Amino acid sequence: MPMFLLLSGIAALLLLAILAVVFSGSRFATRLVYGAGLLLSLELLVVGGLHLLCDAPPLALSLPLGLPWIGAHFRLDALSAFFVVIVNLGAAAACLYGLGYGQHAEEPSRVRPFVPAFIAGMNLVLLTADAFTFLLSWEFMSLVSWALVVVEHRDPRTVRAGYTYALMASLGTFALLLAFGLLAGPNGSYGFAAMRAAQVSPSVGALVLGLVVIGAGSKAGLVPLHVWLPEAHPAAPSHVSALMSGVMTKVAVYAVIRIVFDLLGTPHWWWGIVLLVLGGASALMGVLYALFESDQKRVLAYSSIENIGFIFVALGLALAFRADGFQAAAALALTAALFHAFNHAILKELQFFGAGAVQHATGTRDMERLGGLIHRMPVTAFCILIGCVGIAALPPLNAFASEWLIFQAILLSPSLPQWGLKLLVPAVGALLALAVTLAAACFVRFFGMSFLGRPRSEAASCAEETDGFSLAAMLLLAGLAVVGGLLPGVVIDALGPISTSLVGRHMPVQASLPWLSIVPIAASRSSYNGLLVFIFIAASSGIVASAIHVFASRRIRRAPIWDCGYADTNPALQYSASSFSEPIRRVFGPILFLARTEVEMPPVGSVAPAKFKVHLEDLIWQRLYVPVTGIVMTIADRLNVFQFLTIRRYLSLVFLALVSLLLVLALWS
Amino acid sequence: MHGIAFDVAHLLAGCLVLVSFLMLYQDRLYSLLNTYALHATVLFLSVAWQAYIQNAPDLYVTAGIALVFKAIIIPVALHRMIVKLGIHREIETVVGTGPTMLAGMGLVGLSLVVMLHAAAGANLMAREDLAFALAVILLGLLIMVTRRNAVSQVVGFMSLENGLILAAAGAKGMPLVVEMSVAFSILIAFIVIGIFLFRIRERFDTVDLQALDRFRGERQ
């Protein structure tokens, strides 16, 4: 029954996509599409959530679709159900937001049909249980999200982003195809059940791991496969950006967990290293990129890369612990990864919604042209503030709980027997700690430059608060972030069945603990209590605020600001986004970005302004992608000759190919 | 299986390879056509012998098609076409005859080695038959590749197709429908190529394929 409900919900979403095309001219199209999308994703959310919370046994279903001799297999287990919850929670919020935001899009009819199709595609990926249907749904998801990226196709940057995305998505699917081919083995058993039962040799397993990291990692935005993400995610309309950054990256995480933890069999200890190193690099590079960026949505996209890095580090730890037989530690790391995926989905959607509201109100995403919005858009500012506090991993919000769990898992690493891991894991932990602090700086900058200070442009000074639906979506997510931070034990307990099925154990049951505490391993080691922290923070800040109010507010005098002798203080003289990140750029820029600064002083006696320019280079793009592109272009140039041969030469080529194949055959035996 | 049946089949298939070699060094169009007619006749004999020893009456139809179409109608038609078009009767080869013959010998050796390995499971006669058929196919391709003239390429193509028929006849049990369709496709290919020859001739006053290439404005 749940399976039927889920699949019919997906079918209804696809139908809705068609209806959106049929009724594209109607005045009620936006209401219809997003309203129905909201209801359908709520239905999927409830079904998936009940399956997860009731700890129901896995359900399987085969349909005679797709390839005739394979059919389409679907399966709903705890892992799928959890990701169904993430996807549909995000989708429901995005649809609610879309009810308001979709009204004032430039060309809404280009967006509407693809949103339900995109949600349906992501859900399908989670439910499939054979390689063919999985890849088909995966490609469908990529294709539809590509269509959403290139909605504003008149902007050449969007077209470029779409092209990069299409390339990287094809690369990813190709890698996944090869990975499934290896997993299926010589008998070509493409069902997940058969793959689970089969044991692959260590070398094949390592190859599959590498291919999955390329295939799913490129979708998730793992460094160095992330290049498309900061281009493509911001190019889409904001509710779609939220879906792509908050939810689609989680579908990629699901693919990694499904293949590496579920299908691939016994791991080797060094497999964890791959995920640890890539995850650590993603976390650090992502947040550094985010710090030097002034486009709001790009900052958020880079921050997604950082958080995906965190999730991958936790997955790598889980893999290493599982390979060495530390089941409790593996359960902790895996639960932390899943919990963080859940939290990041909520927070990232919230922030993208806020950025969308700001973009609609001011017409710009450039932080250097915003400022002072807290007075014009107080509710949006409050929601984004919650999102920023959450994503910067400050207690008592949800992301703190999950990142704290990740660090707890890192602290267990000295018990690992391999010296490589013993040395690497603390190093990666240090990287993560650095990334967390930089993320805090990044979001202080994000919030401060956009919402505090004085407006830096005309548009920012006359912004209006956004509509009710958008606010409702943001308040809902902000509420969830707070609740998740106060009651982390509920989520952790819900994740128990997943880690039991994947690593053999689950974390200690948290519901029985007093005062809503959570303990990762045992209460004697460490514990965290979100409620107490919240009460402490609320009480202490309340006392301070009231003290200030009592002792200081009465003494407020309104007087002209001292203007340092300048009569007119231009808003451009405020602290700016790039000046905020200047100290950090001084530290990391010269090495990681080959940063150069140029100061051009006017000649003595001239009144022309001095000019200050900063050049940053994306080393990954320069050192990795540019050479690869060059090689491909060179080969293509060389092979171009074959377009212009005579008929006889083509025949000769065929002939030579045939003869050489026969020669191989003759020499082989 | 051994004995006279095998020997004759072996002999006829060997003859087909030999006639392919004969075609390889013809430098006049007329003599090429005559050799092709001989090729088709040998194919007819070979297929008819297979029909007799396998006791398969439908192979007689294949043999008949080979004789009527390939040994008589097509060569005669090509003869008339050459006369009508006034085609230059010398064949321009790309490589000299000597290297071509050497390459042909290499190909025959290759096909024997490959087939004797690949078809190790099949019975002796089918194996030999397949080896010779592959040799005929490769030689047909070689003819197509080393000639510039369109007519001789058509002939090379048809001798290649003779190799296919030989292989099919040796491996027992190719259904008649397939043979018929192969025969008709060859006929249609012949007609189409013939029409094209007339058209090319009308336009360029030659059937040398290089003229076509020049017309395409290729960079060479």
Side-chain angles (χ1 to χ4, degrees):
Chain A
M1 187 63 185
M3 205 67 205
F4 171 74
L5 283 175
L6 287 176
L7 289 177
S8 57
I10 292 171
L13 280 169
L14 291 173
L15 190 70
L16 184 61
I18 297 168
L19 282 181
V21 178
V22 175
F23 291 106
S24 64
S26 158
R27 272 191 306 132
F28 304 104
T30 306
R31 290 280 150 91
L32 168 80
V33 172
Y34 292 114
L38 174 64
L39 292 181
L40 287 171
S41 29
L42 279 179
E43 182 234 319
L44 296 173
L45 172 68
V46 169
V47 175
L50 283 180
H51 189 270
L52 185 69
L53 288 177
C54 301
D55 195 5
L59 299 168
L61 180 72
S62 302
L63 291 181
L65 300 170
L67 292 184
W69 60 95
I70 294 180
H73 300 272
F74 298 96
R75 188 163 179 272
L76 177 70
D77 58 5
L79 182 64
S80 306
F82 175 62
F83 278 92
V84 165
V85 169
I86 292 188
V87 166
N88 290 299
L89 185 61
C95 284
L96 183 58
Y97 183 77
L99 275 174
Y101 183 79
Q103 301 272 21
H104 30 67
E106 235 171 68
E107 285 177 284
S109 58
R110 290 176 61 87
V111 182
R112 281 188 304 242
F114 294 113
V115 173
F118 184 38
I119 299 170
M122 290 191 290
N123 275 305
L124 264 183
V125 172
L126 303 175
L127 293 177
T128 53
D130 67 278
F132 176 76
T133 324
F134 182 92
L135 286 173
L136 199 68
S137 326
W138 183 269
E139 256 324 70
F140 179 71
M141 174 182 86
S142 303
L143 200 63
V144 176
S145 55
W146 173 82
L148 286 165
V149 167
V150 293
V151 160
E152 285 162 24
H153 59 114
R154 290 192 184 85
D155 186 349
R157 280 175 310 170
T158 304
V159 175
R160 193 179 132 86
Y163 180 67
T164 322
Y165 177 37
L167 268 186
M168 293 303 284
S170 332
L171 173 77
T173 310
F174 185 61
L176 281 181
L177 178 72
L178 293 180
F180 279 122
L182 287 174
L183 277 174
N187 300 330
S189 39
Y190 283 96
F192 282 177
M195 290 181 188
R196 208 171 280 132
Q199 273 296 334
V200 292
S201 70
S203 52
V204 172
L207 208 55
V208 170
L209 179 77
L211 287 168
V212 169
V213 166
I214 294 176
S218 66
K219 183 69 77 194
L222 207 56
V223 168
L225 301 164
H226 65 281
V227 283
W228 63 273
L229 194 143
E231 309 294 327
H233 285 187
S238 288
H239 54 311
V240 179
S241 308
L243 273 180
M244 291 181 73
S245 214
V247 175
M248 189 171 70
T249 51
K250 306 305 174 304
V251 177
V253 171
Y254 164 81
V256 173
I257 299 178
R258 173 64 73 198
I259 298 175
V260 176
F261 283 83
D262 191 12
L263 304 182
L264 198 49
T266 336
H268 279 256
W269 66 271
W270 61 265
W271 290 7
I273 292 184
V274 179
L275 297 185
L276 281 168
V277 169
L278 290 176
S282 303
L284 185 62
M285 292 306 289
V287 71
L288 283 177
Y289 281 123
L291 261 171
F292 303 146
E293 186 58 63
S294 68
D295 179 326
Q296 278 195 326
K297 282 170 83 175
R298 284 173 67 98
V299 170
L300 296 178
Y302 278 126
S303 154
S304 288
I305 297 175
E306 178 222 341
N307 282 281
I308 286 295
F310 272 85
I311 295 171
F312 270 81
V313 166
L315 289 180
L317 278 172
L319 208 55
F321 282 128
R322 183 181 163 210
D324 286 321
F326 295 101
Q327 284 179 331
L332 169 62
L334 183 66
T335 309
L338 293 171
F339 191 16
H340 195 63
F342 180 68
N343 294 336
H344 178 244
I346 291 176
L347 294 169
K348 192 55 71 190
E349 287 229 327
L350 171 57
Q351 288 185 307
F352 263 113
F353 290 169
V358 169
Q359 187 184 2
H360 172 64
T362 64
T364 181
R365 310 191 308 229
D366 188 356
M367 288 195 274
E368 311 281 16
R369 298 176 50 75
L370 296 173
L373 290 177
I374 195 167
H375 301 295
R376 312 286 313 180
M377 312 173 72
V379 186
T380 309
F382 174 72
C383 293
I384 289 204
L385 181 61
I386 301 258
C388 289
V389 170
I391 209 93
L394 295 181
L397 289 183
N398 53 357
F400 174 79
S402 53
E403 290 191 15
W404 182 75
L405 288 180
I406 296 176
F407 281 105
Q408 289 298 317
I410 288 173
L411 291 178
L412 292 174
S413 65
S415 58
L416 286 165
Q418 290 89 5
W419 276 100
L421 283 172
K422 265 188 210 204
L423 294 175
L424 179 75
V425 174
V428 171
L431 268 188
L432 288 197
L434 182 62
V436 171
T437 43
L438 289 177
C442 174
F443 283 99
V444 167
R445 172 176 179 261
F446 181 86
F447 186 79
M449 294 309 144
S450 311
F451 291 93
L452 306 181
R454 289 164 59 201
R456 290 180 178 80
S457 65
E458 184 70 21
S461 63
C462 49
E464 297 269 329
E465 183 62 279
T466 187
D467 58 274
F469 286 114
S470 307
L471 287 180
M474 286 190 272
L475 284 171
L476 175 82
L477 290 176
L480 277 177
V482 175
V483 171
L486 297 184
L487 307 169
V490 178
V491 186
I492 293 173
D493 284 344
L495 295 176
I498 304 177
S499 66
T500 312
S501 68
L502 294 181
V503 297
R505 282 265 303 264
H506 57 82
M507 279 176 64
V509 177
Q510 315 284 340
S512 57
L513 296 170
W515 293 101
L516 303 174
S517 296
I518 54 171
V519 294
I521 297 292
S524 56
R525 279 184 85 108
S526 55
S527 65
Y528 163 71
N529 190 317
L531 188 62
L532 281 183
V533 172
F534 176 67
I535 291 170
F536 175 72
I537 292 177
S540 56
S541 54
I543 289 168
V544 171
S546 54
I548 290 175
H549 188 68
V550 169
F551 296 112
S553 297
R554 289 193 198 139
R555 293 163 197 268
I556 280 183
R557 295 173 294 132
R558 295 219 174 253
I561 307 167
W562 184 59
D563 53 9
C564 303
Y566 294 97
D568 171 34
T569 49
N570 190 315
L573 291 175
Q574 295 174 95
Y575 209 33
S576 73
S578 53
S579 50
F580 187 90
S581 55
E582 163 75 12
I584 298 167
R585 194 174 64 228
R586 283 282 165 104
V587 179
F588 293 99
I591 310 160
L592 292 174
F593 298 91
L594 299 183
R596 283 181 295 118
T597 48
E598 252 176 53
V599 182
E600 202 178 289
M601 294 299 287
V604 180
S606 158
V607 289
K611 282 182 184 157
F612 178 78
K613 279 185 193 161
V614 180
H615 299 273
L616 293 179
E617 268 188 48
D618 186 345
L619 274 189
I620 295 174
W621 182 263
Q622 294 291 336
R623 298 281 157 84
L624 187 65
Y625 285 85
V626 170
V628 169
T629 322
I631 292 171
V632 169
M633 292 309 279
T634 317
I635 295 175
D637 261 354
R638 295 274 162 82
L639 293 182
N640 197 24
V641 180
F642 288 95
Q643 293 266 357
F644 303 100
L645 291 184
T646 64
I647 299 170
R648 201 182 53 73
R649 296 225 168 157
Y650 281 126
L651 273 177
S652 315
L653 279 181
V654 173
F655 179 63
L656 284 179
L658 178 64
V659 169
S660 45
L661 283 177
L662 287 176
L663 268 177
V664 169
L665 194 64
L667 296 176
W668 197 274
S669 48
Chain B
M1 185 57 66
H2 288 278
I4 186 76
F6 175 73
D7 285 341
V8 172
H10 205 171
L11 174 76
L12 287 172
C15 279
L16 204 61
V17 177
L18 199 65
V19 179
S20 285
F21 269 103
L22 287 181
M23 289 168 69
L24 212 49
Y25 70 81
Q26 301 300 329
D27 53 1
R28 306 270 159 166
L29 271 185
Y30 280 157
S31 56
L32 182 68
L33 281 181
N34 293 341
T35 325
Y36 173 69
L38 178 62
H39 199 261
T41 315
V42 176
L43 177 73
F44 155 70
L45 288 176
S46 174
V47 176
W49 180 253
Q50 290 284 354
Y52 172 64
I53 57 173
Q54 290 179 19
N55 215 354
D58 48 346
L59 277 184
Y60 283 118
V61 181
T62 312
I65 291 173
L67 185 68
V68 175
F69 276 109
K70 293 179 176 162
I72 298 169
I73 295 183
I74 292 181
V76 169
L78 277 176
H79 257 286
R80 295 182 57 174
M81 211 183 277
I82 291 169
V83 173
K84 210 166 175 182
L85 294 177
I87 293 173
H88 201 58
R89 295 191 194 156
E90 249 174 56
I91 298 172
E92 285 180 65
T93 53
V94 182
V95 201
T97 314
T100 314
M101 296 294 281
L102 283 177
M105 283 156 72
L107 287 179
V108 173
L110 178 67
S111 52
L112 283 177
V113 171
V114 168
M115 267 306 162
L116 296 188
H117 270 299
N123 70 43
L124 192 60
M125 186 149 83
R127 219 165 67 175
E128 295 285 343
D129 211 47
L130 283 176
F132 282 127
L134 184 60
V136 172
I137 291 169
L138 290 180
L139 287 174
L141 262 177
L142 189 63
I143 294 170
M144 289 179 80
V145 169
T146 53
R147 305 299 157 101
R148 290 231 164 89
N149 185 302
V151 177
S152 52
Q153 287 198 338
V154 174
V155 173
F157 178 64
M158 288 189 302
S159 79
L160 180 154
E161 196 266 340
N162 284 353
L164 289 179
I165 298 283
L166 178 69
K172 296 174 192 172
M174 182 166 85
L176 187 64
V177 184
V178 178
E179 290 174 39
M180 297 293 280
S181 58
V182 169
F184 275 109
S185 67
I186 291 297
L187 193 67
I188 288 166
F190 169 74
I191 292 167
V192 170
I193 290 171
I195 291 170
F196 264 104
L197 280 182
F198 275 103
R199 290 273 160 210
I200 295 168
R201 172 64 222 280
E202 269 173 26
R203 230 164 247 241
F204 304 107
D205 292 330
T206 172
V207 286
D208 190 331
L209 286 176
Q210 277 191 327
L212 266 178
D213 297 334
R214 274 195 297 278
F215 183 71
R216 267 169 77 198
E218 316 284 63
R219 33 185 244 206
Q220 259 297 22

